[in-house]
Amino acid sequence: MNLIEKIALGALHKIDPERAHGLALMAMKAGVVPMPGVVTSDRLKTKFCGMEMQNPVGLAAGYDKNATVVDALTQAGFGFVEVGAVTPRPQSGNPKPRLFRLTEDQAVINRFGFNNEGMEAAAARLTRRSHRRPVPVGLNLGANKDSDDRAADYVRVFETCSPHVDFATVNVSSPNTEKLRDLQGADALRGLLSGVLDVRAGQDKYTPVFLKIAPDLTDAELAEVASVAQEVDVDAIIATNTTLSRDDLKSRFKTEAGGLSGAPLFERSTRVLARLSELTDGKMPLIGVGGIASAEDAYQKIRAGASVVQLYSALVYKGLSLVEQIALGLDARLERDGFSHVADAVGTGRKDWL
């Protein structure tokens, strides 16, 4: 972390977290945030679900909910970027305050509730994004809180926005929209995913569809999700979203309602990832997310079964320079362990997490 970034983060941490995030987005949009170069090498270059990536380090959904700074994010060193979540109609989300820094735990709790400006606004911005940089951009799909047919909401957002993105994620794992996680049940999930995939089948452009799951599933529920994902032929699974667990936290905000992300999520999410890799016999492409704050964390996710990884919460504490640090550190670890390519390391440490 350079001095400018350290000073900026220190200043942002003195104000309300949601306001600070808004200011960070404004600064990025204005072009005043120093952007690290993209770290790449023959070991790091990755082809994932048909997409070419300069490195396997991606940005998780939630940072840019409304696709307002996509062009800036594609210059921030990420191998791929996911924006959203986006719902058919605009919605304000849950009452404030709804975002909390757990500094002692290097964690974050949020209960936003899919606050966003709606799919039409997102689609308009995604249409205008630059394609000069080889960084795939995806969209996280959500459902309106007051919707009578949430499965149909995912289809509507996909229909509207998929022509303008490189992949789409069906997010049924946010804990902040009441009963949303019920869509992870076998029958509901099968119907929802089939609806999205049926729309894709009628389009000229093939858009990879990912499924994002919760870290709080039982072994039986996880096996059910894996079975359905394979049955309908979803392209990849993202493991995992935030957790409702509150194990061994120190911060005074530890009892706040919402999804917990950051360092305390690492072990739980990595075990789910490894279990998914085992359940699918390593054949289902997996994205590892949850608690990544270092190159070693990213490497552990890959060795547990992830082909690529995503991060978000650690940026709150370590800034955008963390992306470059992780990519460089990951490359060094692959070289140290004799892997000629990141794909060769995928799943090699899975048994350590089972």
Side-chain angles (χ1 to χ4, degrees):
M1 185 187 301
N2 60 44
L3 181 60
I4 294 175
E5 190 173 44
K6 188 173 183 179
I7 292 171
L9 285 176
L12 288 173
H13 280 217
K14 293 183 185 298
I15 60 178
D16 171 75
E18 188 167 352
R19 182 167 175 244
H21 183 69
L23 291 173
L25 289 176
M26 288 173 60
M28 189 173 287
K29 191 172 185 179
V32 298
V33 177
M35 293 295 181
V38 176
V39 173
T40 190
S41 70
D42 288 341
R43 278 182 294 270
L44 293 177
K45 286 180 181 177
T46 302
K47 188 170 184 177
F48 184 77
C49 295
M51 298 179 289
E52 301 285 347
M53 301 174 180
Q54 295 299 301
N55 66 56
V57 183
L59 175 66
Y63 186 89
D64 185 11
K65 291 178 178 293
N66 295 299
T68 57
V69 292
V70 175
D71 286 345
L73 289 171
T74 59
Q75 300 177 64
F78 295 105
F80 64 108
V81 168
E82 184 175 347
V83 299
V86 168
T87 57
R89 291 175 285 106
Q91 62 181 24
S92 58
N94 294 322
K96 298 179 182 179
R98 54 193 180 180
L99 180 63
F100 306 89
R101 297 187 204 95
L102 285 68
T103 305
E104 301 94 327
D105 305 293
Q106 293 289 283
V108 172
I109 289 176
N110 91 82
R111 51 172 181 262
F112 281 117
F114 283 169
N115 59 310
N116 73 105
E117 296 172 9
M119 64 184 184
E120 298 294 346
R125 294 184 183 116
L126 289 164
T127 303
R128 298 191 299 267
R129 73 181 174 96
S130 172
H131 291 270
R132 290 177 297 173
R133 287 169 290 277
V135 179
V137 173
L139 181 68
N140 193 279
L141 315 178
N144 282 116
K145 183 177 182 178
D146 59 354
S147 175
D148 293 328
D149 188 346
R150 287 179 175 171
D153 279 11
Y154 289 92
V155 172
R156 289 180 62 200
V157 180
F158 183 80
E159 281 183 304
T160 300
C161 298
S162 60
H164 316 300
V165 294
D166 301 298
F167 66 92
T169 298
V170 174
N171 181 1
V172 291
S173 51
S174 170
N176 300 315
T177 296
E178 188 178 0
K179 296 185 178 180
L180 185 74
R181 288 189 172 188
D182 291 352
L183 291 173
Q184 292 175 119
D187 291 340
L189 185 61
R190 185 181 295 107
L192 190 161
L193 290 173
S194 296
V196 172
L197 295 174
D198 285 348
V199 169
R200 182 181 68 181
Q203 296 178 330
D204 294 332
K205 170 177 162 288
Y206 185 92
T207 305
V209 173
F210 304 159
L211 170 66
K212 190 167 189 176
I213 65 169
D216 304 318
L217 299 171
T218 65
D219 284 347
E221 289 169 336
L222 190 60
E224 197 170 64
V225 166
S227 177
V228 171
Q230 290 178 298
E231 175 191 331
V232 302
D233 204 20
V234 73
D235 292 274
I237 298 176
I238 301 178
T240 67
N241 211 321
T242 58
T243 181
L244 293 172
S245 173
R246 295 291 189 271
D247 298 331
D248 302 321
L249 298 178
K250 302 173 185 176
S251 170
R252 63 190 176 95
F253 296 118
K254 63 184 178 182
T255 59
E256 291 290 345
L260 173 73
S261 59
L265 179 58
F266 180 78
E267 184 171 331
R268 176 183 291 264
S269 62
T270 308
R271 292 191 186 283
V272 169
L273 172 69
R275 179 65 177 143
L276 263 181
S277 178
E278 181 185 50
L279 286 167
T280 60
D281 198 26
K283 295 176 182 177
M284 171 65 72
L286 302 176
I287 301 173
V289 56
I292 297 175
S294 68
E296 182 60 28
D297 292 340
Y299 192 42
Q300 289 295 321
K301 294 281 189 187
I302 289 166
R303 295 191 70 244
S307 294
V308 297
V309 299
Q310 289 178 314
L311 59 144
Y312 175 8
S313 296
L315 301 176
V316 173
Y317 298 103
K318 300 189 176 183
L320 278 174
S321 62
L322 177 63
V323 183
E324 182 179 24
Q325 293 168 24
I326 288 178
L328 286 170
L330 185 55
D331 191 52
R333 282 162 173 76
L334 292 168
E335 182 180 27
R336 178 196 67 193
D337 293 345
F339 294 114
S340 59
H341 190 267
V342 63
D344 299 331
V346 174
T348 56
R350 185 174 71 193
K351 291 181 179 179
D352 295 339
W353 291 95
L354 296 175

